[in-house]
Amino acid sequence: MMKKSTNQNAFKIICDIIGHKYVVSKQVTSHVKEYTCKCCKKQLTTNSNGDLTELTPTFKEINSILEDIYTRRMVRIK
Ligand SMILES: [Zn+2]
């Protein structure tokens, strides 16, 4: 029962109780950011409604496209 290899699960339980400690891990556009929990490494992102949602592989792909468009537009303004 008391295994040290279950640290990640322990962190998840702590997060479930006291809440995640999200930090911005990536600024995709001025509105869209990616967040990572410092504790359990869970990742979130801003969706098209401006709400936070779990960063799934699909959202990662959307974000990389958004970032590409956003970066190109910023270059064009300069
Ligand atoms: Zn967490």
Side-chain angles (χ1 to χ4, degrees), residues 2 17-18 27 30 42 64 66-67:
M2 301 289 277
I17 297 165
I18 62 166
Q27 174 98 35
S30 55
K42 183 183 163 78
S64 74
L66 275 177
E67 191 185 16

mmCIF file of all heavy atoms in Angstrom, residues 2 17-18 27 30 42 64 66-67:
data_model
loop_
_atom_site.group_PDB
_atom_site.id
_atom_site.type_symbol
_atom_site.label_atom_id
_atom_site.label_comp_id
_atom_site.label_asym_id
_atom_site.label_seq_id
_atom_site.Cartn_x
_atom_site.Cartn_y
_atom_site.Cartn_z
ATOM 1 N N MET A 2 1.949 1.288 0.807
ATOM 2 C CA MET A 2 2.756 2.506 0.956
ATOM 3 C C MET A 2 3.946 2.509 -0.003
ATOM 4 O O MET A 2 5.083 2.334 0.403
ATOM 5 C CB MET A 2 3.250 2.634 2.408
ATOM 6 C CG MET A 2 2.135 2.695 3.432
ATOM 7 S SD MET A 2 1.241 4.254 3.362
ATOM 8 C CE MET A 2 2.307 5.290 4.368
ATOM 9 N N ILE A 17 -7.882 18.087 -3.571
ATOM 10 C CA ILE A 17 -8.327 18.647 -2.289
ATOM 11 C C ILE A 17 -8.123 20.165 -2.240
ATOM 12 O O ILE A 17 -9.055 20.911 -1.962
ATOM 13 C CB ILE A 17 -7.587 17.965 -1.107
ATOM 14 C CG1 ILE A 17 -7.938 16.469 -1.073
ATOM 15 C CG2 ILE A 17 -7.971 18.630 0.221
ATOM 16 C CD1 ILE A 17 -7.020 15.635 -0.197
ATOM 17 N N ILE A 18 -6.887 20.612 -2.517
ATOM 18 C CA ILE A 18 -6.599 22.046 -2.348
ATOM 19 C C ILE A 18 -6.621 22.830 -3.654
ATOM 20 O O ILE A 18 -6.489 24.049 -3.659
ATOM 21 C CB ILE A 18 -5.249 22.281 -1.615
ATOM 22 C CG1 ILE A 18 -4.076 21.700 -2.421
ATOM 23 C CG2 ILE A 18 -5.291 21.713 -0.198
ATOM 24 C CD1 ILE A 18 -2.719 22.189 -1.934
ATOM 25 N N GLN A 27 2.493 31.151 -23.966
ATOM 26 C CA GLN A 27 1.588 32.189 -24.452
ATOM 27 C C GLN A 27 1.392 31.925 -25.933
ATOM 28 O O GLN A 27 2.317 32.085 -26.726
ATOM 29 C CB GLN A 27 2.227 33.560 -24.199
ATOM 30 C CG GLN A 27 1.471 34.737 -24.769
ATOM 31 C CD GLN A 27 0.595 35.423 -23.728
ATOM 32 O OE1 GLN A 27 0.937 35.505 -22.568
ATOM 33 N NE2 GLN A 27 -0.548 35.918 -24.139
ATOM 34 N N SER A 30 -2.558 36.523 -27.816
ATOM 35 C CA SER A 30 -2.836 37.443 -26.715
ATOM 36 C C SER A 30 -3.978 36.946 -25.827
ATOM 37 O O SER A 30 -4.062 37.324 -24.665
ATOM 38 C CB SER A 30 -3.146 38.834 -27.259
ATOM 39 O OG SER A 30 -4.191 38.749 -28.195
ATOM 40 N N LYS A 42 -0.675 18.594 -14.712
ATOM 41 C CA LYS A 42 -1.859 18.613 -15.563
ATOM 42 C C LYS A 42 -1.829 19.894 -16.400
ATOM 43 O O LYS A 42 -1.432 20.951 -15.903
ATOM 44 C CB LYS A 42 -3.117 18.581 -14.685
ATOM 45 C CG LYS A 42 -4.426 18.533 -15.463
ATOM 46 C CD LYS A 42 -5.580 18.570 -14.466
ATOM 47 C CE LYS A 42 -6.885 18.943 -15.134
ATOM 48 N NZ LYS A 42 -7.487 17.831 -15.868
ATOM 49 N N SER A 64 -0.847 25.145 -31.819
ATOM 50 C CA SER A 64 0.364 25.343 -32.619
ATOM 51 C C SER A 64 0.028 26.055 -33.929
ATOM 52 O O SER A 64 0.815 26.867 -34.421
ATOM 53 C CB SER A 64 1.093 24.017 -32.852
ATOM 54 O OG SER A 64 0.409 23.237 -33.789
ATOM 55 N N LEU A 66 -2.603 28.169 -34.268
ATOM 56 C CA LEU A 66 -2.913 29.540 -33.815
ATOM 57 C C LEU A 66 -1.639 30.345 -33.600
ATOM 58 O O LEU A 66 -1.537 31.498 -34.020
ATOM 59 C CB LEU A 66 -3.680 29.491 -32.490
ATOM 60 C CG LEU A 66 -5.185 29.307 -32.541
ATOM 61 C CD1 LEU A 66 -5.727 29.220 -31.124
ATOM 62 C CD2 LEU A 66 -5.860 30.455 -33.279
ATOM 63 N N GLU A 67 -0.664 29.702 -32.948
ATOM 64 C CA GLU A 67 0.603 30.366 -32.644
ATOM 65 C C GLU A 67 1.311 30.773 -33.934
ATOM 66 O O GLU A 67 1.859 31.869 -34.039
ATOM 67 C CB GLU A 67 1.477 29.421 -31.822
ATOM 68 C CG GLU A 67 2.703 30.091 -31.224
ATOM 69 C CD GLU A 67 3.610 29.093 -30.528
ATOM 70 O OE1 GLU A 67 3.461 27.871 -30.749
ATOM 71 O OE2 GLU A 67 4.472 29.545 -29.775
#
